[in-house]
């Protein structure tokens, strides 16, 4: 399985590793530790010294696709407490834990999770209670998320540093899991994680993902440009002189329409019912507007809207409109909201043909003449953490709808033109004469398949109503920076606006340039899809990934396909139905500093994006560090089956000293066809312009670590060598019956679950049990 060589960036680390002079400060040995990884985001550009990012997971050590179906590789060893899934001797930090299992991500059957740091137990509780926030801060949403929050997986994103050792054990075999951790060369500045430190500032910061700059209020001076852009034309946005840093970049393209199909969940209340919740607003607002998304199949919905106890309007849906989404906007005058940072919102039932339903509320604040999104409340059973964080309460509830597929009334030709603008208008940024950002605007801001709603920690797309696309990545430079937009497509861009906010500051030694490296093309059999290949020194921080599967319906299946491509009950290879989402069976693999074994080797594509079960069969979701904003089937620019996803490594960044080859398989053994695009976010080079101190030597790893230190002479060209397999565990019991859907009050189409996908997963489980 050779790695693709596309996306190569040479000399990423020019300036790093040069000789140390007596006048220079000591070289850094690691990046920010513990909560500082979230608090000190301006340090993202700085060198991480000799630390390493490593991963344990349940991947198939034989090179196949048995990534947890039998739990064969899911235990490093068995202890008196259960199944050990991670352990390390030496200083470091646990950064991320993900897992899933049947039914559809509920980890109740995994039992307790025990986390031991420096010989002390800091967590010993049912795994399901931890991810559902029952332990309290800091183990609360969105630092944790359950199978509903993530559409099929569970996550823990609490950074847990240790000085001497760590071990993570679960009571029962977890089947599918990955655990990421940092290995430090020394314990300087490391304090063992204290579970009693609630880190409320970090929790509050993460709860504003996608609506506020995580670095704090964007400092500096904005430069704004209104522009038209003909095909083939280039427009400058900002030309900055002197040392400084770009802190915020915004773009508005009103001609681009929101993607027409949206999958959502929601709630409804009946007569005499109401809902209440709290929303954030900008204190310097000149009024706000409340935007409600609802199911208009229920006719004549009428409800009152009150803000901080004052009635400010009425929701009126009108006649029934089956199959579509309804959107209503009520503007609230500044006399009600000015000077406030939060408001209490209440909706009361007045009348309806059946009930008053609500799927989502957005709040935009008017600031300096612009409408800016300042909060989102996505409602329903798939958003328990978000509901709780907003204090959502409902009286006389009549349903909790798990999945509703609706469409906005958008013309296909407008969708096609919008998709071309998002794909063909490129953002290009040069720092000190080097172009390090060159990517389509859609994928750069988080969605390569259309204008879908994106909310993550470092960027945002606010679709519809002329919303902004926003980036908060810190981008330092030593002498100058140039931001421009290029129209490489055939659709003229008119009436657009771009804005760059920057501040003068001198980059510290060790600061690298921000990069956004784009790659688009056909997948190649036997080769990982390449996110990033770079030489030199730097830090990989994440990726936005657009997957256009090219597996046609009725395609001939392969008898050697190991998993998830057939329907249960059709064992004859000649009658099996193809699984059009089989491209999601591919594992991520990151090779660092020439090592032939990957530092990260995961268990599947939706697992890498911290979900599960093919994103719970098409349910989209958003969390600060991972999400799946889009899924298209046979339309809206998608030929067969297409998926858009993102993963950010804010707390589990992957540093490299001499180079990195980071990619992901497309299918179980790199054998499914696809049209893929990706934009990788990373830092490298020398933005300070000064000679940098020499870096310390790379730490050696304990025998249990997944990546050996012996580097190959060149980038890997074959499959990684097989590490020692952990002791296999007993064959698991048959999974329990998948959960049933919640009661519905309407007959609107929920979107058919592709039977080939759902049955394929069940078939894979049954096949492995029968072979076990």
């Amino acid at each position: 399985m050779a790695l693709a060589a596309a996306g190569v960036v040479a000399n990423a680390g020019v300036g790093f590793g040069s000789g140390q002079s007596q006048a220079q400060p000591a070289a850094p040995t690691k990046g920010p530790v513990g909560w500082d990884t979230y608090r000190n985001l301006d340090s993202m550009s700085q060198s991480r010294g000799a630390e390493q990012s490593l991963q344990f997971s349940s991947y198939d050590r034989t090179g196949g696709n048995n990534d947890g179906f039998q739990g064969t590789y899911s235990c490093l060893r068995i202890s008196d407490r259960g199944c050990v899934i991670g352990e390390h001797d030496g200083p470091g930090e646990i950064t991320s834990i993900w897992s899933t299992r049947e039914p559809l991500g509920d980890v109740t059957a995994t039992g307790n999770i025990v986390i031991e740091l420096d010989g002390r137990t800091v967590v010993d509780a049912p795994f399901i209670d931890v991810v559902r926030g029952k332990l309290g801060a800091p183990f609360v949403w969105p630092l944790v998320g359950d199978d509903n929050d993530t559409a099929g997986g569970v996550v823990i994103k609490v950074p847990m540093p240790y000085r001497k050792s760590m071990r993570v054990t679960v009571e029962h075999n977890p089947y599918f899991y990955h655990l990421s951790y940092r290995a430090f060369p020394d314990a300087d500045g490391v304090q063992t994680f204290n579970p009693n430190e609630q880190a409320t500032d970090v929790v509050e910061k993460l709860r504003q993902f996608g609506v506020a700059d995580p670095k704090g209020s964007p400092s500096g001076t904005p430069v704004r440009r209104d522009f038209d852009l003909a095909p083939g034309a280039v427009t400058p946005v900002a030309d900055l002189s002197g040392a400084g840093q770009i802190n915020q970049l915004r773009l508005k393209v009103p001609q681009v329409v929101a993607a027409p199909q949206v999958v959502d969940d929601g709630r409804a209340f009946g007569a005499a019912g109401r809902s209440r919740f709290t929303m954030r607003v900008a204190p310097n607002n000149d009024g706000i507007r409340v935007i409600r998304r609802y199911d208009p199949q229920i006719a004549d919905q009428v409800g009152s809207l009150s803000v901080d106890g004052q009635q400010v309007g009425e929701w009126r849906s009108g006649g029934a409109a089956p199959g579509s989404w309804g959107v209503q906007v009520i503007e609230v005058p500044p006399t009600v909201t000015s000077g406030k940072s939060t408001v209490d919102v209440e909706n009361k039932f007045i009348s309806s043909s059946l009930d008053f339903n609500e799927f989502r509320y957005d709040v935009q604040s008017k600031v300096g003449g612009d409408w800016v999104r300042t909060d989102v409340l996505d409602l329903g059973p798939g958003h328990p953490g978000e509901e709780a964080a907003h204090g959502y309460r409902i009286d006389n509830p009549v349903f909790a709808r798990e999945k509703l597929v609706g469409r906005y009334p958008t013309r296909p030709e407008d969708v096609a033109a919008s998709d071309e603008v998002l794909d063909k208008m490129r953002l290009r940024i040069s720092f000190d004469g080097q172009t390090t950002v060159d990517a389509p605007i859609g994928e750069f801001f988080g969605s390569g398949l259309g204008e879908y709603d994106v909310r993550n920690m470092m960027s945002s797309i606010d679709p519809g109503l002329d919303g902004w696309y926003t980036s908060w990545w810190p981008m330092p430079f030593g002498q100058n920076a140039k931001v421009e937009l290029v129209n490489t497509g055939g659709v003229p861009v008119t009436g657009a606006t771009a804005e760059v906010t920057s501040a003068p500051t001198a980059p510290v030694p060790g600061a690298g340039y921000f990069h956004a490296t784009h790659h688009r093309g056909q997948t190649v059999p036997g080769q990982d899809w390449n996110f990033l290949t770079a030489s030199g020194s730097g830090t990989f921080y994440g990726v936005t990934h657009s997957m256009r599967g090219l597996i046609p319906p009725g395609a001939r299946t392969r008898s050697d396909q190991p998993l998830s491509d057939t329907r249960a009950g059709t064992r004859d290879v000649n009658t099996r139905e193809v699984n059009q989402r089989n491209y999601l069976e591919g594992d991520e693999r990151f090779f660092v500093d020439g090592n032939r074994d990957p530092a990260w080797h995961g268990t599947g594509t939706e697992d890498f994006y911290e979900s599960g079960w093919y994103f719970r069969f098409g349910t989209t979701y958003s969390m600060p560090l991972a999400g799946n904003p889009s899924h298209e089937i046979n339309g809206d620019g998608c030929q067969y089956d297409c998926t858009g996803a993102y993963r950010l490594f804010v707390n589990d960044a992957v540093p490299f000293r001499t180079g990195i080859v980071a990619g992901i398989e497309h299918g179980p053994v790199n054998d499914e066809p696809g049209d893929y695009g990706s934009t990788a976010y990373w830092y490298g080079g020398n933005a300070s312009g000064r000679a940098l101190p020499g870096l310390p030597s790379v730490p050696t790893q304990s025998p249990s670590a997944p990546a050996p230190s012996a580097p190959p002479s060149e980038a890997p060209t074959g499959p990684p060598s097989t590490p020692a397999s952990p002791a296999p565990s007993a064959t698991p019991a048959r999974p329990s019956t998948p959960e049933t859907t919640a009661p519905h009050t309407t007959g609107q189409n929920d979107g058919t679950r592709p039977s080939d996908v759902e049955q394929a997963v069940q078939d894979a489980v049954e096949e492995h049990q029968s072979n076990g």
Side-chain angles (χ1 to χ4, degrees), residues 511-546:
Y513 296 112
F514 174 75
H515 293 67
T517 301
H518 173 68
H519 177 201
R520 173 77 185 271
Q522 301 285 310
T523 58
V524 178
Q527 295 184 3
D528 289 6
W529 173 259
N530 184 258
F531 291 145
L532 175 65
T533 295
S535 61
S537 181
T539 310
F540 181 30
Y541 272 102
V543 65
T544 292
H545 191 186
S546 308

Side-chain angles (χ1 to χ4, degrees), residues 60 63-66 69 558-566 576 582 585 667-669 671 763-764 767-768 771:
D60 189 337
N65 196 39
N66 183 12
F69 286 93
R558 295 179 298 277
S559 60
D560 62 344
Q561 194 74 11
L563 275 181
S564 301
D565 70 337
T566 61
R576 293 175 177 177
N582 208 47
E585 292 292 335
V669 288
D671 54 352
D763 179 68
E767 182 174 339
H768 273 280
N771 293 338

Side-chain angles (χ1 to χ4, degrees), residues 99-114 125-132 134 145-148 152-155 169-176 613 616 735-737 739:
S99 187
T100 192
R101 67 184 301 146
E102 283 278 62
L104 295 179
D106 184 343
V107 297
T108 300
T110 302
N112 275 30
I113 182 171
V114 179
F127 198 2
I128 191 66
D129 288 352
V130 177
V131 297
R132 289 183 176 170
K134 293 185 178 181
D146 71 0
D147 50 304
N148 295 306
V154 302
V155 293
T169 308
V170 290
E171 187 176 0
H172 304 297
N173 192 302
Y175 304 117
F176 306 89
W613 307 107
R616 201 174 263 188
S736 57
T737 303
E739 62 186 25

Side-chain angles (χ1 to χ4, degrees), residues 256-272:
V256 174
V257 298
Q261 181 165 296
V262 173
V263 181
D264 204 359
D265 57 338
R267 301 189 184 275
F269 50 83

Side-chain angles (χ1 to χ4, degrees), residues 32 36-38 40-48 214-215 245 457-458 472-474 476 510-514 538-542 648-651 653 681-684:
D36 284 346
T37 58
Y38 291 120
N40 188 14
L41 296 177
D42 281 318
S43 68
M44 295 176 77
S45 64
Q46 296 175 28
S47 167
R48 293 204 162 215
K215 305 186 302 297
Q245 178 170 289
M457 191 172 178
M458 302 309 297
W472 295 293
W473 292 99
Y513 296 112
F514 174 75
T539 310
F540 181 30
Y541 272 102
L648 304 181
F649 314 133
V650 171
N651 69 319
Y681 311 105
W682 60 287
Y683 291 88

Side-chain angles (χ1 to χ4, degrees), residues 88-409:
H88 173 228
D89 290 330
E93 178 176 303
I94 298 172
T95 57
S96 179
I97 301 173
W98 166 91
S99 187
T100 192
R101 67 184 301 146
E102 283 278 62
L104 295 179
D106 184 343
V107 297
T108 300
T110 302
N112 275 30
I113 182 171
V114 179
I115 301 176
E116 299 170 272
L117 306 176
D118 296 334
R120 174 188 170 208
T121 299
V122 297
V123 173
D124 185 353
F127 198 2
I128 191 66
D129 288 352
V130 177
V131 297
R132 289 183 176 170
K134 293 185 178 181
L135 271 62
F139 294 93
V140 294
W141 181 89
L143 284 165
V144 301
D146 71 0
D147 50 304
N148 295 306
D149 294 309
T150 68
V154 302
V155 293
I156 300 175
K157 310 298 286 190
V158 174
M160 292 177 270
Y162 49 92
R163 295 178 59 83
K164 297 179 180 179
S165 65
M166 74 84 168
R167 181 169 59 208
V168 180
T169 308
V170 290
E171 187 176 0
H172 304 297
N173 192 302
Y175 304 117
F176 306 89
Y177 90 95
H178 60 240
L179 184 155
S180 302
Y181 68 103
R182 301 161 67 191
F184 299 149
D186 55 60
D188 294 347
V190 179
Q191 294 184 348
T192 306
F193 170 72
N194 178 5
N196 296 318
E197 183 180 354
Q198 297 186 345
T200 54
D201 61 319
V202 175
V203 172
E204 179 64 16
K205 173 184 290 190
L206 291 180
R207 286 181 174 178
Q208 297 182 65
F209 71 100
V211 297
D213 187 343
K215 305 186 302 297
S217 298
S219 60
T221 303
V223 175
R224 178 177 291 202
R225 179 179 177 86
D226 298 324
F227 65 93
D228 298 333
L229 197 58
V234 180
T235 186
V237 176
D239 199 345
L240 309 173
S241 298
Q245 178 170 289
I246 294 174
N247 289 313
Q248 178 176 275
L249 193 155
R250 297 198 300 171
L251 180 65
K252 183 187 295 185
V253 191
Q255 75 191 74
V256 174
V257 298
Q261 181 165 296
V262 173
V263 181
D264 204 359
D265 57 338
R267 301 189 184 275
F269 50 83
R274 61 176 177 168
S275 66
R276 291 159 288 169
F277 47 91
T278 300
M279 300 290 274
R280 298 178 185 85
V281 300
N284 58 337
N285 74 82
D286 189 25
I288 68 170
R289 57 188 184 190
V290 182
I291 305 168
R292 169 191 173 222
R293 180 158 72 207
Y294 66 99
D295 174 7
Q297 178 165 269
I298 305 304
D300 303 322
Q301 300 176 52
V302 181
S304 67
L305 170 66
S306 295
V307 174
D308 282 347
Q310 299 184 50
Q311 185 172 349
V312 295
E314 286 188 353
W315 306 109
R316 292 181 173 272
S317 69
S324 65
W325 285 112
V327 175
Q328 294 178 308
V329 181
I330 293 179
E331 292 197 12
V332 182
T335 54
V336 179
T337 61
S338 182
K340 299 177 179 179
S341 58
T342 62
V343 294
D344 293 327
V345 179
E346 181 179 65
N347 298 290
K348 288 184 178 180
F349 182 98
I350 295 178
S351 63
S352 173
S353 64
L354 183 61
D355 54 40
F356 184 95
N357 65 66
E358 48 192 11
F359 283 72
R360 175 176 165 133
Y361 290 99
D362 287 54
V363 167
Q364 294 180 337
S365 299
K366 194 171 187 180
V367 180
D370 290 332
W371 289 106
V372 180
R373 181 165 67 174
T374 51
D375 208 354
V376 175
L377 171 55
D378 210 342
L379 295 165
H383 299 88
E386 193 160 343
E387 288 184 340
H390 287 84
Y392 179 77
R393 293 154 291 167
I394 184 170
D395 296 338
N396 192 24
V398 295
F399 80 72
R401 191 143 191 170
E402 289 185 335
K403 181 180 179 181
L404 184 66
V405 179
R407 295 182 64 84
Y408 294 117

Side-chain angles (χ1 to χ4, degrees), residues 16 27-31 46-52 185 510 537-539 593 655-657 694-699:
F16 284 91
T29 61
K30 64 182 73 67
Q46 296 175 28
S47 167
R48 293 204 162 215
E51 74 168 71
Q52 293 179 301
S537 181
T539 310
D593 296 339
F656 51 96
R657 291 166 50 82
L695 298 178
S697 60
V698 178

